[in-house]
Amino acid sequence: MKKNTLDFWVGLFVVAGFVALLFLSLKVGNMSSAFSFADTYTVQARFDNIGGLKARAPVKSAGVVVGRVADIRFDDKTYQATVVMKLEKQYQFPKDTSANILTSGLLGEQYIGLEAGGDPAMLAEGNRITHTQSAVVLENLIGQFLYNKAADAGAGGTPASAPGASGAATLPAAPGAGK
């Protein structure tokens, strides 16, 4: 009888370990809210560049997750990305809400940030958010910075009429050198 009790507790411990691993893998895979049973409504937004945004990325407002990205499609007529978001019905947003693609930290995951507008009418199922701002791509920023630095250096550097422009270093006179 004692052996059966020990086997039961070991089995229970193993099952609890598997449940913990499943929970952690869903958290790491950003799928923990994929099994949410909250009522949602779908809205869309168009962006010129979505960067590294992926399906199931969070949609946040004021730092609170209010929904998830359901789908990302390419519109071959406007050459823009159409992002479909599922927002929880408990969070209602005005029709003039803006959507920005933001990054958590310097190189973190990308998400959509919603900023509420002031329109009294609220977004409803199937509406489109028209005020959008695309992702800031780090490679583009670095390239633009380097291009501007190269243009500044090629545009003249130091003018010849500037003091000390002869190339010779001017050092302060040593004390008592003029006597």
Side-chain angles (χ1 to χ4, degrees), residues 7-24:
D7 288 344
F8 171 77
W9 286 110
V10 168
L12 187 64
F13 184 74
V14 169
V15 169
F18 279 127
V19 169
L21 283 174
L22 177 67
F23 174 76
L24 287 174

Side-chain angles (χ1 to χ4, degrees), residues 61-75:
S61 183
V64 177
V65 176
V66 296
R68 293 270 172 196
V69 173
D71 190 24
I72 300 172
R73 296 182 225 133
F74 181 73
D75 186 352

Side-chain angles (χ1 to χ4, degrees), residues 76 85 91 104 116 164:
D76 57 358
M85 298 169 270
Y91 304 114
S104 295

